[in-house]
Amino acid sequence: MIQALYFQEAIRDLVLSHSCNVDPCLVCELSFLFHKMDQSPGFVCQSNNFQRAIRTSQEALALGLVLTESSTSIDGFTMIGLVQTWNRFMLEQFHAIDDRLLGKQCEIQAVKVTKCASCKGCLSVEYDNDNVCNLTYPTGSKKTHFEDVLVASLNCVGTKPSWCGLCRHFQMANQRRQIQCLPSSLTVNTGLDQGTNLEFWRDQCAQLVTSSKGGNNESGQSWIPERLTLRQLANGHLKGGSDDLSPLEREEILEDVQYELHTVCSTIVDPGTGQALNVVAAINVGDFYHARVGSPVSQWYLFNDFSIDPINVSEARRINLEWQVPTSLVYRRQMNRVSSEQPQIVPVSTSSFGFEVLSPTWGHGSPLTFLPLAVDEVPSAGDLVALDAEFVTLKPEQKSLVEDGCWRTVRLAQRAVARVTCLRGQGPMTGVPFVDDYISCQEEIFDHVTEYSGIYPGDLDPTTSTKYLTSMKTTYKRIRYLVDAGCIFVGHGLKNDFDMLNIVVPVEQVVDTVHLFQLPNRRLLSLKFLAWYFLDKIIQVGTHDPTEDAATALELFQRYREFEALNNVPEVLCQLYKDAQANQWRVPRQL
């Protein structure tokens, strides 16, 4: 579902252009994730921080978008409803940050006109904008075009009792939507979480099969059209492209809007049990992203967890309602030219945050454990920054015993960043921290892992902590600023730290001592052992301290530079591994 949003160009540009000081902000977290996806093509991008933001959103919790521990099996209809709720929820988040920018991108702009059924007088006119079109279906099994259902759903005719000032009493009133503007990305929820709607789809698909040559549907027909046309009339009504128009209606046509299928999200259901197994998305990724892969098939890809396979458009439209239920569709408007009135979204530049993000923000008035950078210490390309991060466990790893007697991991441990420390890497104050953030945590912590993290119960609780607390968003911005400035990060096992921070750091900006002091295809050595061997220091006594670990990694890098200057790195590493093996890869106990 995140990929379905990412490959809608208007939404992606809107999200990437967003930056605010509101915390928490789901759009900011999604922007950070989209940036990571942009910067790391071909690599898996975890969405830990975005998921964490969703889990702490009261609105998402109220809508049931956060699944509980007992949600191991979910009814197919329930999952379809959740996906459709997710669609609307996320589009509303985008709309909240700037309705002007999103207006022509995703919003169906309309007014709802209420008229008295008796005297035909106008009772009210009110805005009725929406970000999603929920399909409503006719009764019966008559063969119907998808376009007709869509038009009827957008026009949305209804009745209700209302007070009529002209008739001087309550009358039945007719309501009709008048479309003012159609969006660039038209999102459609199929409503197939209702059994009657699903039967309607089955009838339409069956009639397609019957009408196909030879009684089968091998010709590639599908009730989901690849293209559709919506005719916008001067009176606000819509007509489908295949509708027969009267001469008067033809004169009232304001615009023929052409749409092309862009995304098909489907819920995979077990035919035997009716339980939802998965959610997949067929997406037209467009020219730019397609060029990164260069598949000869088409620009369509099937996203199924970590599996991404090229498909053609007929496969994207193909459905089998016994196990594959279309949940939501996105149609992209075909533009002949860009309207000069349409607001242009310009994504933020690479250097998206300023030096001010490194300034202390909020805490509990406790003495700072770091010295903020002065105005004459603005980071620049090539500056060394020693970094270390610590984590806590929110949920433990869960395993189950399978038939062959082996333990299988059912759920990976869920961890969260708890503390991030950055040290100056050069100058008269080398080794002095300028960032030492404890990350506020609103979720229940299963294990503080104090021995390895140095985090104690209460340290991350805003109501009891005596530490300098920040939000994950604030800390992310600080590290992102240093990355964008071109700083070189020094540390031990930095890949894990960056993965948990959900940030991409170019390889040329990373110096990892775990790899500097490694022979090819040999085991990795601990920071504790390297510190004893090269620096004659015993570290990590008691609990871990990220400041100590980062400073040690910085000293090791300096020693490595000395070995490089002497051109004896291979000899040093060979001797290192001989001595490490003799000591069983550990610091001698007598110390």
Side-chain angles (χ1 to χ4, degrees):
M1 300 306 299
I2 292 175
Q3 297 280 13
L5 295 172
Y6 176 77
F7 286 107
Q8 293 180 60
E9 185 177 355
I11 289 179
R12 183 177 66 250
D13 288 350
L14 172 77
V15 171
L16 286 173
S17 68
H18 175 71
S19 179
C20 72
N21 295 321
V22 177
D23 205 359
C25 173
L26 290 178
V27 183
C28 275
E29 293 297 342
L30 192 62
S31 174
F32 302 155
L33 180 57
F34 279 7
H35 177 267
K36 184 177 183 182
M37 293 165 69
D38 260 353
Q39 297 300 310
S40 56
F43 294 92
V44 174
C45 289
Q46 300 291 350
S47 55
N48 302 336
N49 292 344
F50 177 69
Q51 290 183 33
R52 188 176 176 185
I54 289 285
R55 291 198 302 268
T56 57
S57 166
Q58 293 302 313
E59 187 178 356
L61 287 167
L63 292 172
L65 296 177
V66 181
L67 303 183
T68 63
E69 291 294 324
S70 60
S71 305
T72 53
S73 59
I74 303 176
D75 177 79
F77 284 151
T78 302
M79 179 57 75
I80 294 169
L82 285 176
V83 172
Q84 294 178 153
T85 301
W86 159 268
N87 263 344
R88 183 177 295 279
F89 171 73
M90 287 309 302
L91 290 176
E92 286 175 353
Q93 302 303 308
F94 304 150
H95 192 271
I97 63 174
D98 195 331
D99 57 356
R100 183 185 68 85
L101 283 179
L102 196 68
K104 291 189 177 181
Q105 304 300 331
C106 302
E107 189 178 59
I108 305 165
Q109 298 180 2
V111 293
K112 183 168 62 178
V113 180
T114 304
K115 293 184 178 181
C116 177
S118 176
C119 69
K120 310 302 180 184
C122 183
L123 304 182
S124 66
V125 177
E126 53 189 325
Y127 287 111
D128 191 37
N129 300 342
D130 206 346
N131 299 311
V132 179
C133 174
N134 292 320
L135 292 184
T136 56
Y137 299 94
T139 57
S141 57
K142 178 183 176 183
K143 185 175 181 180
T144 309
H145 292 290
F146 178 92
E147 203 173 78
D148 296 333
V149 174
L150 176 62
V151 167
S153 303
L154 288 169
N155 285 333
C156 192
V157 179
T159 60
K160 72 169 186 177
S162 298
W163 173 262
C164 178
L166 296 177
C167 299
R168 307 299 298 171
H169 57 77
F170 279 95
Q171 296 276 27
M172 290 304 296
N174 297 321
Q175 291 184 318
R176 178 183 286 272
R177 293 179 82 207
Q178 294 185 359
I179 304 299
Q180 306 297 302
C181 184
L182 288 168
S184 299
S185 290
L186 177 61
T187 301
V188 179
N189 280 343
T190 62
L192 297 187
D193 51 332
Q194 304 295 323
T196 54
N197 295 346
L198 190 59
E199 286 303 316
F200 180 85
W201 272 68
R202 285 198 175 100
D203 288 339
Q204 298 306 313
C205 292
Q207 292 184 63
L208 276 176
V209 172
T210 303
S211 62
S212 298
K213 184 178 179 180
N216 57 58
N217 197 20
E218 297 298 325
S219 60
Q221 293 189 51
S222 171
W223 199 64
I224 300 175
E226 183 180 356
R227 294 179 178 83
L228 52 86
T229 300
L230 299 179
R231 291 172 173 168
Q232 189 174 352
L233 306 184
N235 61 6
H237 295 172
L238 288 182
K239 293 288 185 178
S242 59
D243 288 342
D244 292 328
L245 302 182
S246 66
L248 180 60
E249 287 178 324
R250 291 186 181 280
E251 291 180 1
E252 289 187 342
I253 294 177
L254 294 179
E255 187 178 14
D256 274 354
V257 182
Q258 309 292 326
Y259 281 99
E260 184 176 38
L261 185 64
H262 180 271
T263 304
V264 180
C265 290
S266 303
T267 299
I268 308 302
V269 179
D270 186 333
T273 64
Q275 299 297 310
L277 301 177
N278 201 3
V279 176
V280 301
I283 305 173
N284 186 336
V285 302
D287 297 336
F288 175 73
Y289 291 95
H290 174 69
R292 293 185 174 186
V293 180
S295 166
V297 179
S298 74
Q299 294 178 10
W300 281 89
Y301 291 82
L302 180 67
F303 291 80
N304 181 2
D305 292 336
F306 296 134
S307 173
I308 304 174
D309 298 304
I311 58 175
N312 54 48
V313 65
S314 62
E315 291 178 272
R317 297 168 59 216
R318 186 177 301 151
I319 55 176
N320 185 328
L321 295 175
E322 296 303 315
W323 58 272
Q324 179 186 5
V325 183
T327 304
S328 64
L329 314 171
V330 176
Y331 281 89
R332 181 171 52 193
R333 184 170 181 166
Q334 301 301 292
M335 297 288 190
N336 295 327
R337 66 180 187 279
V338 178
S339 171
S340 59
E341 298 179 359
Q342 184 169 331
Q344 299 299 302
I345 300 172
V346 181
V348 289
S349 62
T350 304
S351 299
S352 49
F353 310 114
F355 179 64
E356 66 278 359
V357 301
L358 295 177
S359 301
T361 51
W362 56 281
H364 290 275
S366 302
L368 296 180
T369 55
F370 60 96
L371 180 64
L373 293 178
V375 292
D376 59 348
E377 294 182 288
V378 176
S380 59
D383 286 355
L384 295 181
V385 173
L387 180 141
D388 191 45
E390 303 296 346
F391 314 94
V392 293
T393 301
L394 300 178
K395 292 181 181 178
E397 182 181 63
Q398 183 177 335
K399 293 185 176 183
S400 65
L401 191 64
V402 294
E403 294 178 356
D404 60 2
C406 297
W407 288 94
R408 179 171 63 90
T409 300
V410 177
R411 183 189 66 197
L412 295 175
Q414 190 177 98
R415 300 192 300 160
V417 182
R419 184 181 178 186
V420 176
T421 303
C422 294
L423 280 59
R424 295 165 173 86
Q426 67 277 310
M429 288 192 288
T430 296
V432 177
F434 64 92
V435 169
D436 191 17
D437 292 350
Y438 285 78
I439 313 300
S440 175
C441 183
Q442 300 178 20
E443 298 177 88
E444 183 179 355
I445 298 174
F446 172 78
D447 188 356
H448 288 81
V449 205
T450 303
E451 181 182 355
Y452 301 102
S453 68
I455 304 295
Y456 289 88
D459 282 353
L460 308 183
D461 186 344
T463 61
T464 61
S465 179
T466 59
K467 309 298 183 181
Y468 174 75
L469 280 180
T470 68
S471 65
M472 185 67 245
K473 173 178 173 178
T474 300
T475 300
Y476 172 92
K477 283 186 173 182
R478 288 172 176 163
I479 306 303
R480 171 86 172 272
Y481 168 75
L482 296 172
V483 174
D484 294 346
C487 294
I488 297 174
F489 292 86
V490 181
H492 194 82
L494 287 175
K495 181 182 183 304
N496 182 56
D497 294 348
F498 293 142
D499 283 346
M500 288 298 296
L501 286 166
N502 278 187
I503 200 165
V504 175
V505 182
V507 292
E508 62 271 15
Q509 289 179 238
V510 178
V511 175
D512 199 329
T513 52
V514 77
H515 298 301
L516 283 185
F517 295 96
Q518 180 196 18
L519 285 175
N521 302 317
R522 299 292 299 273
R523 66 175 290 170
L524 303 175
L525 300 178
S526 69
L527 181 66
K528 187 173 184 177
F529 183 85
L530 294 174
W532 166 75
Y533 188 84
F534 288 112
L535 307 176
D536 293 325
K537 292 174 62 175
I538 303 298
I539 65 170
Q540 299 174 353
V541 177
T543 58
H544 282 208
D545 181 351
T547 302
E548 179 184 51
D549 288 358
T552 301
L554 189 61
E555 287 186 67
L556 285 171
F557 178 46
Q558 292 166 349
R559 287 301 305 274
Y560 185 86
R561 281 177 159 176
E562 295 172 7
F563 299 142
E564 276 189 321
L566 298 172
N567 292 318
N568 65 348
V569 171
E571 295 83 354
V572 169
L573 294 184
C574 288
Q575 188 61 46
L576 166 66
Y577 272 80
K578 288 180 182 179
D579 295 340
Q581 189 170 13
N583 285 284
Q584 297 182 332
W585 316 100
R586 298 176 182 175
V587 175
R589 289 189 176 181
Q590 62 266 27
L591 298 177

